[in-house]
Amino acid sequence: NAGVMQNPRHLVRRRGQEARLRCSPMKGHSHVYWYRQLPEEGLKFMVYLQKENIIDESGMPKERFSAEFPKEGPSILRIQQVVRGDSAAYFCASSPQGGNQPQHFGDGTRLSIL
Amino acid sequence: RKEVEQDPGPFNVPEGATVAFNCTYSNSASQSFFWYRQDCRKEPKLLMSVYSSGNEDGRFTAQLNRASQYISLLIRDSKLSDSATYLCVVNKASGAGSYQLTFGKGTKLSVIP
């Protein structure tokens, strides 16, 4: 499967725990974007990364959320000390270049906080 | 005003009908435009890019009017498999070489046998 790969598909955490969401972009894509979709809401941009660089994190909450895209391995979205309001679907997208290119999405990770 | 606004629907149409979705966007600096579809509990999938000259892909026709900041999608001869939520998506520069996709909340379409 050459598409955007996200794992896990479903993640359950208790309040206060940490959640780690992983995303491997499509082959040949070096630009990764994370979006969050709350129930009955549209997707909201969170962060845009290239290898080893955060380009735009204007959509990320200031606390508890962080993202990285290391030289080797997948991009990671990390949520510390999760709260009930973090329950959402988190989608990763990738594109071969930045700019106006369409983005291709992974299946998403559905995070549930107990 | 929301950055991207769509009629939430739902639109319930019989098979074979023609259905039109409308979308308006507020940021005149927006640079590229797309329609995505999203099936229930699935990821958004790119349906088509939208160009000022209008573009067609089989039964789907998209139009963009930059002056009125309006985007449309027309589906002809609708099929059961067209049932999904249709997302109007706008790409704008957000500084430092970054572009952001801004999504509408989507219009839900149900095609009925």
Side-chain angles (χ1 to χ4, degrees):
Chain A
N1 188 342
V4 179
M5 302 296 293
Q6 288 188 249
N7 68 82
R9 291 290 301 276
H10 301 275
L11 182 60
V12 180
R13 286 287 177 265
R14 296 189 181 280
R15 281 178 293 173
Q17 291 184 320
E18 179 179 288
R20 280 184 179 238
L21 289 62
R22 288 176 290 278
C23 170
S24 296
M26 284 180 74
K27 190 175 180 181
H29 288 194
S30 59
H31 298 252
V32 165
Y33 312 80
W34 285 94
Y35 294 84
R36 176 166 64 176
Q37 187 173 31
L38 295 169
E40 306 301 321
E41 293 291 322
L43 278 81
K44 299 282 191 244
F45 169 81
M46 297 182 75
V47 62
Y48 163 36
L49 310 102
Q50 294 180 39
K51 281 288 185 181
E52 301 185 273
N53 289 306
I54 296 174
I55 306 302
D56 182 354
E57 56 182 346
S58 58
M60 286 269 274
K62 294 286 186 287
E63 297 178 350
R64 303 188 298 109
F65 284 71
S66 62
E68 61 177 11
F69 189 14
K71 187 176 181 181
E72 302 292 337
S75 175
I76 306 286
L77 179 67
R78 183 178 174 211
I79 311 172
Q80 295 177 289
Q81 300 174 327
V82 295
V83 301
R84 287 253 170 87
D86 297 333
S87 295
Y90 291 82
F91 290 100
C92 170
S94 72
S95 64
Q97 302 165 20
N100 291 332
Q101 304 298 311
Q103 297 171 17
H104 299 271
F105 284 79
D107 292 344
T109 293
R110 275 154 188 82
L111 176 63
S112 298
I113 308 303
L114 303 179
Chain B
R1 184 183 172 189
K2 290 181 181 174
E3 287 197 66
V4 179
E5 291 208 62
Q6 297 182 248
D7 183 337
F11 285 25
N12 300 315
V13 303
E15 273 186 286
T18 295
V19 59
F21 302 131
N22 303 318
C23 170
T24 57
Y25 61 96
S26 60
N27 190 331
S28 59
S30 299
Q31 301 194 5
S32 53
F33 309 89
F34 310 96
W35 284 100
Y36 281 72
R37 67 171 279 170
Q38 186 175 26
D39 293 276
C40 187
R41 299 185 67 76
K42 298 282 191 179
E43 77 277 18
K45 290 185 178 175
L46 178 66
L47 185 64
M48 59 199 301
S49 300
V50 189
Y51 305 111
S52 296
S53 54
N55 48 301
E56 189 174 308
D57 182 2
R59 297 180 294 109
F60 299 84
T61 301
Q63 293 276 353
L64 165 66
N65 185 320
R66 285 188 183 267
S68 53
Q69 295 177 201
Y70 170 87
I71 308 163
S72 66
L73 176 68
L74 187 76
I75 306 176
R76 289 182 299 278
D77 188 24
S78 50
K79 314 288 185 192
L80 294 177
S81 58
D82 294 334
S83 297
T85 296
Y86 289 81
L87 308 175
C88 178
V89 184
V90 170
N91 200 356
K92 66 177 172 71
S94 61
S98 171
Y99 286 77
Q100 290 184 13
L101 289 184
T102 302
F103 285 77
K105 289 180 71 171
T107 300
K108 187 173 181 181
L109 172 66
S110 293
V111 181
I112 303 162

